[in-house]
Amino acid sequence: MNPKPRFRPMLLLTIGGFVATTAAAVPAADIEVQIPVPGASGQSRRLLLHLPASSQGSGPIPIVLGFHGGFGSAESFRSLTGLNTTADARGFGVAYMDAGDGVWGDYRPGPGQPEADLDYVRAAMDYLVANYHADARRFYATGISNGAAFSFVLGSQLSDRIAAIAPVAHNLTQAFVDQATPVRPMHVLQIVGNADPLMPFNGGFQGNGDPVLSSAATMQYWQVLNGNGASTTAFLPNVVADGTAAFRETYAPSAEGFELERIVVLNGGHTWPGGEQYLPPSQIGPTSRDFSANDLIWDFFAGKSLTIPAPSAVITLAVASCVMSRRRRQAT
């Protein structure tokens, strides 16, 4: 499917970003960093950096790159997730990234520019390594909604810089499948609600007409690229009577050790488990209190560091298949 370019309606672009429509004051513990971006006519782009107290005098610091939802901000994602608390407790840094125009370039038609955003992320990582003792081998990416879609882009296009990704409340888009060109495996954790009113769990079309894969097909895409084996399923403890439950689907690691997991929140919405209920459940679905997305995401990230294996045959074949599929669509 190749829909004509169009501006996506604001409702779907603002999901995950309602929380702060005006910039909040930056807490003393966070640093507002201006990132010089090469090729941007001397312009810079901002991020908010949180470093745990335990990082003082320690070795290189692992950094989680956090990506807000459409028309959100670095501040709104910080408020939604509460990642600072987890970072302090577990010893990692968080760089709350800011799209500038509010929308990340995830290949769908709209104002987001993938290459400009990728340049910003590259420049940010270089700057944090040079100036804040970030560990170049331990950058991770997570985000919600449009930020999750962009996390998938990073897992594909910056697999030589990002060690693992954890998108929340988004499946792969058809635009990603048609345009992304992954060349290396990636550790992937997806967290998704099966009752999300804004992201079709079983695939189809978003309210603005953008086609998306199902959550299961999203997993299959990465399974083929990574070379992961079959999956097993186990329920997470149901500790709060909030109308939700969750299970974890774990795929056998690839021959190169790449991991693939999915956490499905039953009756879960377009939300961050354990985070803010940023809009009423009638609009975005409920937020599960059975687990903390922050904790499970860091459990998944911790211990993973960047490796750069030679592209395997399964990667080459999978990429070729995607290219052939795109060419067939263009020919029809």
Side-chain angles (χ1 to χ4, degrees):
M1 301 176 184
N2 292 298
K4 294 181 179 179
R6 60 193 181 284
F7 185 81
R8 284 172 276 164
M10 182 175 294
L11 175 62
L12 289 178
L13 286 172
T14 55
I15 45 183
F18 287 108
V19 196
T21 54
T22 59
V26 178
D30 292 353
I31 307 164
E32 183 163 357
V33 181
Q34 296 294 327
I35 304 297
V37 180
S41 302
Q43 296 179 355
S44 63
R45 291 176 62 172
R46 67 188 288 269
L47 61 82
L48 296 182
L49 178 64
H50 181 83
L51 297 175
S54 61
S55 67
Q56 299 298 322
S58 65
I61 306 164
I63 300 290
V64 173
L65 306 174
F67 297 87
H68 59 74
F71 283 153
S73 65
E75 289 86 355
S76 71
F77 190 69
R78 180 181 62 192
S79 176
L80 169 70
T81 62
L83 266 168
N84 281 7
T85 300
T86 309
D88 289 341
R90 304 193 65 179
F92 61 90
V94 186
Y96 297 99
M97 312 298 281
D98 200 295
D101 61 0
V103 182
W104 299 107
D106 60 15
Y107 295 125
R108 290 177 293 178
Q113 300 296 321
E115 290 307 319
D117 288 336
L118 289 169
D119 286 344
Y120 161 57
V121 174
R122 290 187 189 97
M125 290 189 289
D126 290 342
Y127 194 88
L128 294 176
V129 169
N131 295 279
Y132 291 97
H133 206 39
D135 189 338
R137 294 173 59 85
R138 292 189 293 167
F139 278 105
Y140 313 98
T142 187
I144 188 170
S145 192
N146 171 232
F150 187 61
S151 296
F152 282 129
V153 174
L154 292 171
S156 169
Q157 305 306 108
L158 293 190
S159 57
D160 60 336
R161 303 292 304 273
I162 301 290
I165 63 172
V168 177
H170 216 288
N171 300 332
L172 285 178
T173 65
Q174 186 62 51
F176 173 97
V177 174
D178 290 345
Q179 298 180 57
T181 55
V183 293
R184 293 190 178 95
M186 176 57 57
H187 298 287
V188 179
L189 166 65
Q190 183 195 36
I191 300 177
V192 63
N194 77 338
D196 188 331
L198 302 178
M199 173 54 52
F201 178 75
N202 292 316
F205 297 87
Q206 292 182 274
N208 59 352
D210 286 337
V212 296
L213 277 62
S214 67
S215 176
T218 296
M219 289 294 98
Q220 184 180 28
Y221 178 95
W222 293 102
Q223 181 185 22
V224 170
L225 287 175
N226 286 357
N228 294 104
S231 65
T232 57
T233 300
F235 275 88
L236 301 181
N238 192 359
V239 297
V240 178
D242 60 3
T244 71
F247 66 85
R248 185 200 306 264
E249 185 177 37
T250 304
Y251 290 76
S254 70
E256 295 167 328
F258 285 87
E259 298 177 12
L260 177 63
E261 294 186 11
R262 175 173 67 150
I263 296 174
V264 177
V265 182
L266 303 176
N267 198 39
H270 202 77
T271 52
W272 188 274
E276 285 188 339
Q277 181 72 46
Y278 61 92
L279 281 175
S282 60
Q283 296 184 39
I284 60 170
T287 299
S288 177
R289 302 298 171 189
D290 284 331
F291 67 96
S292 162
N294 295 354
D295 285 337
L296 295 192
I297 287 171
W298 184 248
D299 287 345
F300 184 77
F301 287 165
K304 293 179 173 64
S305 61
L306 188 67
T307 58
I308 309 178
S312 63
V314 66
I315 295 290
T316 304
L317 288 172
V319 172
S321 176
C322 289
V323 172
M324 290 297 292
S325 175
R326 182 163 71 237
R327 288 175 177 171
R328 283 196 296 271
R329 290 190 186 93
Q330 294 172 341
T332 58

